[in-house]
Structure formats: structure tokens, C-alpha cells
Amino acid sequence: MVHLLIIIAGVYVATLGFAVLINVSPKYLNDGGIVGVAGYLVYLAYYTYIGGYVGGNVLGAFTLGIFGMIAARIKKAPVIIFNIPALVPLVPGGQAYQVMKNIAMNKPRVAFGFLMQVLMIAGSLAMGFLLAELVIQLFNYSMRSMKRRRKTA
Amino acid sequence: MTETEPVKKSKEYKNKVVQTCLLAGTILIENGSELNRVSDTIKRIAKNADLNDLNAYVTITGIMISANDEAGAQIKEIEKRTFNLRRIAAVNRLSRDYAQGKISIGRFYNLLNKINRFGLYYPYWMMMLSAALISGCISVVFNNDIHDFFITCLVGMLGWVIFSVISTRVQASFISEFMAAASIGAMAIFAVHIGLGQSTDNIIIGSVMPLVPGVQITNSFRDLISGNLISGPARGIEALICACALGFGVAFSLIWLG
């Protein structure tokens, strides 16, 4: 439990820190942090209970896209303000580092394994964003058509 | 505001709308917006100004806008690209205000001109502190390594300071990432050597995190998803070279000192 709390606090602070570095307005900082924690928690839950980093990253990025969109609607601000800092905890930094380290240490086989992991994670993050975009656009479309039907009726 | 408002549907009015679209698009791209938002904003401004036959061709290095045969096409080149989401949010707010009819087109143009003088929200020490906190927290989250928290904070902060100092003084891109990553590697190895830290790997992974091209990666995804096949790959390559510069920097110090 303490471990989980430490992780949540770490993700929140890291998201906030990245938001400060790219000059996000102070009134959006907290929401960005919440979006980041939500995305990472979904990833962590999938990774712990079901297993596999690909599915975890897809679901994490999906949650992040949806929550970012909700935050943008509520706060009337661009989506990227919430999405960019929230992506930071999901970026495959550790694996990318292992690729470089193993190439430098002349172990190309190990490096190739880590490189595949990096590519899979990057692809699944893109996939998650794509799914989130799909759901959001379907939602917008159905809202619009409902309004149109109400007008004609 | 002493400037007189141009009469609607006159040639000056159309010219002003095109100039406003151009300026808004330039500010958005220069400060790291995704391209979908840029063309969307330009089309919204044109629609709200009753200029329905406006066409915009937006790429990451330049914008072309033509209204119709009266007001000719205008081109703007974009040379520098930084990341400042405050300005993007400001353009977004002004565009919303214009759509609701709160401001006129002349005032919109004047306010857009002021956005370029917006500074940063946070003082330098606060950005240093946040770079330190990102490094430490990411190290804890990724590796469950609480012992190295403080030394990772210190190394990450120094790495970010080196990055910002070099990137404001040297014009060549990617050199600053390389130098910062190389010095992060050297500092991490040295810190473990004198007994301040335990794991070189964890310190380096955490400390490199403030320099990771997160904005470019996200924007590249979003551009590709929205079908912008010129700017999406361009941003992706920018992110890739940036990541390679970081990786080579770390590898450089690992080979020579590790």
C-alpha cells in the first residue's frame, strides 16, 4: 500500500514537473497530474493483474487520451496541455537506455531484444491514442446527430 | 486601440483576416502545437469572419493562405520551433473570444501581436527544481529505487542546466542534448564511484527524463492520426534524432568512463 502511494506521488510529481518545463499555465497543472496518474494506474493494474506490457500501454494511452479530452472540455483548453506531460511516465525510457548501453558494451543481441520492446511500447502507445481518438470522434458524431434529430423532430 | 476597424467585406477587411490567420498559425506552430489544431483554428477564424473561400496549406516549416482573387495569397516561413504551451492556450482563448463575437478582427490581430512578448510563467530556479523532481520521481517509479532519489535529483538538475545553457548559446540543434547526456553519464558514473549512489543505470534513466522529446512524440502521433502525412513523419524524425543524440551521449560516457 505504501509502495502504491509512493508510485502515485512519484507519477503525479513527475507529470507536474514536465508541465512546468514546457510552461503550462498554473491553473491547468493539477488536472494534467490527475490525467497522468490515471493513465499510469490503468497501465500498472493491467501489468500486475493480467500481464504483458503491450496491452498495458495500449490501455494506459487510451485512458490518457480520454481523460485528457474530458479535462480539455471542462477547462476549455487545448488537449495537448494535458496529454504531453501525462505521457512522460509511460515513455519507454528504461528500455531505450538499455538499448544504448548494450550497443555501447558490444552486446548487440541483448540490445536487439530491448529495441524490439521499445518499438512495441511506442507502437502500443500510438495504438492507444488512436483508439481514444476513435471513441471521441464517434461520441462527437453521435452527439451531433442527436442534436440534429431533435431539431428536425 | 486607435486603429480604425476595416469595413466588412472590403479589401482591407479580407486582407486583415488573412493576416490574422497567418499570425495565429505561425504562433501555434512556433510554440509546438499539432498541425491539426493549426488548420482547424485558421478555418474557424475564416468561418467566423464570413470568408468561406479561404484555403490554407500548413506544413511544419511554413504556411500558405489564400482568401480569393482580391486579397492575394500570403506565405509565412517558420524558422524556430520551441515549446511554450502558454502561447498556444492564449491563441486558443482569443479564437474562442472571436467566435463568440467578444472581440473584432482588428483587436484580435493586435492581441495576437502581443502574445509573442509573453514570457514564461515560472522562474528559472523553479524549472531547475522541477527538472530535479522529474528525474528523482521517474527513477523511483521505473526502478523502485528509493535510495538513489537524491543523487538522481542532483544529476538530473545539473544535466538540465547544462542542456538549457548550451541550447541558448549554440545554434546547432541536437548538440545540447548530446552534451547534456554525456555529462549526465559521466556524473552518474562518478557519483557511484565515490559512493553517493548505488546503481549507475537507475541514476542515468531518471536523469535523462527531463530531456526526453515527449512533446515531439505526442505531436507526431497526433499529426499522423489526423492524416497529416508531411508533418507527422517530420516531427517523428525530429524526435528520433533527439533520442539518438541522448543515447549516443550516454553511450559515449559509458564507453570512456564505465
Side-chain angles (χ1 to χ4, degrees), chain A residues 47-133:
Chain A
Y47 189 80
T48 346
Y49 294 114
I50 302 175
Y53 52 85
V54 171
N57 278 300
V58 170
L59 278 182
F62 176 75
T63 319
L64 211 144
I66 298 282
F67 272 62
M69 200 64 199
I70 295 172
R73 281 284 158 82
I74 294 173
K75 291 271 168 176
K76 293 201 180 4
V79 193
I80 46 171
I81 280 187
F82 308 104
N83 273 359
I84 291 173
L87 191 68
V88 168
L90 291 178
V91 163
Q95 287 90 334
Y97 166 72
Q98 293 291 347
V99 173
M100 287 321 294
K101 184 189 168 192
N102 283 304
I103 288 177
M105 295 300 166
N106 209 2
K107 287 181 202 152
R109 276 168 200 281
V110 189
F112 187 74
F114 278 114
L115 182 65
M116 287 321 286
Q117 268 193 36
V118 171
L119 290 180
M120 292 296 277
I121 292 177
S124 45
L125 288 179
M127 193 68 214
F129 270 121
L130 200 66
L131 285 177
E133 196 80 1

Side-chain angles (χ1 to χ4, degrees), chain B residues 1-6 16 19-20 23 27 94 103-118:
Chain B
M1 237 33 77
T2 54
E3 200 176 327
T4 52
E5 204 57 39
K16 197 80 179 177
Q19 279 178 354
T20 310
L23 188 59
I27 293 172
L94 284 179
I103 49 177
S104 64
I105 190 82
R107 184 158 168 72
F108 190 7
Y109 185 75
N110 290 335
L111 287 175
L112 278 178
N113 265 324
K114 278 187 189 149
I115 286 180
N116 269 330
R117 271 179 268 143
F118 276 15

Side-chain angles (χ1 to χ4, degrees), chain B residues 25-92:
Chain B
T26 314
I27 293 172
L28 285 178
I29 298 181
E30 275 181 353
N31 293 298
S33 166
E34 78 269 32
L35 276 265
N36 195 16
R37 167 176 307 283
V38 179
S39 44
D40 193 51
T41 307
I42 289 175
K43 275 175 196 146
R44 261 166 217 264
I45 294 174
K47 204 178 122 206
N48 294 323
D50 292 329
L51 218 69
N52 288 322
D53 46 356
L54 183 138
N55 281 301
Y57 178 68
V58 183
T59 68
I60 197 167
T61 49
I63 309 178
M64 272 179 258
I65 296 180
S66 78
N68 44 28
D69 44 352
E70 276 179 64
Q74 298 194 18
I75 301 180
K76 181 101 178 178
E77 189 189 7
I78 291 153
E79 285 172 340
K80 64 176 167 65
R81 281 186 299 279
T82 53
F83 299 107
N84 189 337
L85 294 198
R86 180 187 186 182
R87 292 180 182 165
I88 294 176
V91 173
N92 196 50

Side-chain angles (χ1 to χ4, degrees), chain B residues 29-244:
Chain B
I29 298 181
E30 275 181 353
N31 293 298
S33 166
E34 78 269 32
L35 276 265
N36 195 16
R37 167 176 307 283
V38 179
S39 44
D40 193 51
T41 307
I42 289 175
K43 275 175 196 146
R44 261 166 217 264
I45 294 174
K47 204 178 122 206
N48 294 323
D50 292 329
L51 218 69
N52 288 322
D53 46 356
L54 183 138
N55 281 301
Y57 178 68
V58 183
T59 68
I60 197 167
T61 49
I63 309 178
M64 272 179 258
I65 296 180
S66 78
N68 44 28
D69 44 352
E70 276 179 64
Q74 298 194 18
I75 301 180
K76 181 101 178 178
E77 189 189 7
I78 291 153
E79 285 172 340
K80 64 176 167 65
R81 281 186 299 279
T82 53
F83 299 107
N84 189 337
L85 294 198
R86 180 187 186 182
R87 292 180 182 165
I88 294 176
V91 173
N92 196 50
R93 204 172 52 239
L94 284 179
S95 171
R96 274 174 200 274
D97 282 356
Y98 181 61
Q100 290 167 358
K102 282 186 196 161
I103 49 177
S104 64
I105 190 82
R107 184 158 168 72
F108 190 7
Y109 185 75
N110 290 335
L111 287 175
L112 278 178
N113 265 324
K114 278 187 189 149
I115 286 180
N116 269 330
R117 271 179 268 143
F118 276 15
L120 300 171
Y121 274 119
Y122 308 102
Y124 194 76
W125 64 265
M126 204 163 157
M127 295 175 84
M128 273 166 69
L129 186 70
S130 56
L133 285 176
I134 298 172
S135 314
C137 291
I138 286 292
S139 171
V140 170
V141 169
F142 278 6
N143 311 309
N144 301 321
D145 181 6
I146 299 181
H147 309 286
D148 284 343
F149 180 78
F150 289 107
I151 186 66
T152 311
C153 282
L154 187 66
V155 173
M157 189 177 82
L158 289 176
W160 186 80
V161 168
I162 289 171
F163 168 75
S164 69
V165 164
I166 293 180
S167 63
T168 50
R169 282 167 180 70
V170 181
Q171 284 303 315
S173 39
F174 308 119
I175 293 287
S176 40
E177 276 96 349
F178 177 80
M179 290 305 293
S183 36
I184 283 172
M187 282 188 283
I189 290 165
F190 186 66
V192 173
H193 195 71
I194 61 173
L196 281 175
Q198 291 174 350
S199 156
T200 322
D201 292 357
N202 293 351
I203 296 177
I204 293 178
I205 291 172
S207 311
V208 165
M209 227 46 202
L211 310 176
V212 159
V215 188
Q216 288 102 312
I217 295 172
T218 322
N219 277 339
S220 152
F221 287 163
R222 295 189 65 86
D223 281 351
L224 277 174
I225 289 170
S226 62
N228 199 327
L229 293 183
I230 293 181
S231 302
R235 282 203 199 267
I237 286 179
E238 197 182 9
L240 197 68
I241 298 177
C242 193
C244 281

